Amino acid sequence: EHRAITALAVAEGGARVAVAMYKRVHLREIAGGAEAAPPLVFDDWVNCCAFVGGGAVAFAGDAAHINVWDKHYTLTITHAAAKKTDSVLAMAVLLKGDEATLATGDNAGRIHVWTEKEREDTSEKREFEQYRFTKIEGWVVSVCFYAHGLAACTSLGRVYVLEPGKCEVISMSTSL
């Protein structure tokens, strides 16, 4: 059994942590370390995870799709061009109120931005739709939202800054 930790995320408010290990995501209470839910099981390596608001956690890996676990169900998010050989390597979330915007990066150089559809009531099942995507050179190994947009790093040592509304590259740096 693999024990390597492949990803870590802290929930909004800092009360809970998600720890990805091989084909599982463990949810733990930070105070005391108690298990917050049974481990979430994935069909392949879990490379990244992030909380998407309301205690829900998104996780992805070597299976080209994203899973969102939200208390009573797991939602799978994918795109038409997804192939089994695609590995989602990076994930970031931007929370605005009860709605999440999710960005992912993969080993084919694709950055996808998914938006949560508005819900009348937070008890309704979540839905995400892919509405932006771009392709850059190299594996996308890290993505993060910041005050003015979205940034991504690649395996080729490049840092890209993107405008998330259009998922267009604003600038690129090749030397750090």
Side-chain angles (χ1 to χ4, degrees):
E1 180 178 324
H2 295 278
R3 305 255 339 134
I5 294 173
T6 54
L8 177 71
V10 177
E12 62 281 359
R16 190 171 283 173
V17 65
V19 180
M21 297 176 70
Y22 185 45
K23 295 182 177 186
R24 301 175 314 279
V25 177
H26 297 270
L27 300 174
R28 302 255 179 208
E29 300 297 335
I30 288 180
E35 194 173 77
L40 311 172
V41 180
F42 194 57
D43 56 357
D44 219 323
W45 280 91
V46 178
N47 298 325
C48 51
C49 59
F51 282 92
V52 294
V57 65
F59 57 100
D62 289 349
H65 58 270
I66 300 120
N67 291 297
V68 177
W69 176 85
D70 192 359
K71 297 177 190 94
H72 305 293
Y73 62 87
T74 301
L75 168 70
T76 300
I77 306 168
T78 193
H79 55 89
K83 296 181 278 196
K84 171 61 179 121
T85 56
D86 296 341
S87 292
V88 178
L89 303 174
M91 179 181 293
V93 171
L94 175 65
L95 290 174
K96 287 188 180 175
D98 293 326
E99 295 176 14
T101 299
L102 178 66
T104 61
D106 67 24
N107 65 338
R110 291 183 299 248
I111 298 170
H112 294 275
V113 179
W114 312 84
T115 302
E116 184 173 8
K117 291 183 179 177
E118 190 174 331
R119 298 177 288 167
E120 293 286 322
D121 181 346
T122 56
S123 65
E124 292 178 21
K125 190 172 182 177
R126 294 171 177 263
E127 283 187 73
F128 286 83
E129 60 184 344
Q130 177 195 13
Y131 73 107
R132 297 180 297 261
F133 136 80
T134 195
K135 184 157 177 26
I136 58 179
E137 213 175 327
W139 291 15
V140 179
V141 296
S142 181
V143 292
C144 68
F145 285 99
Y146 70 102
H148 306 291
L150 176 67
C153 298
T154 71
S155 58
L156 300 175
R158 296 182 179 144
V159 176
Y160 291 83
V161 175
L162 298 98
E163 193 280 300
K166 298 177 184 171
C167 209
E168 293 178 351
V169 174
I170 297 170
S171 67
M172 190 244 326
S173 170
T174 56
S175 60
L176 294 177

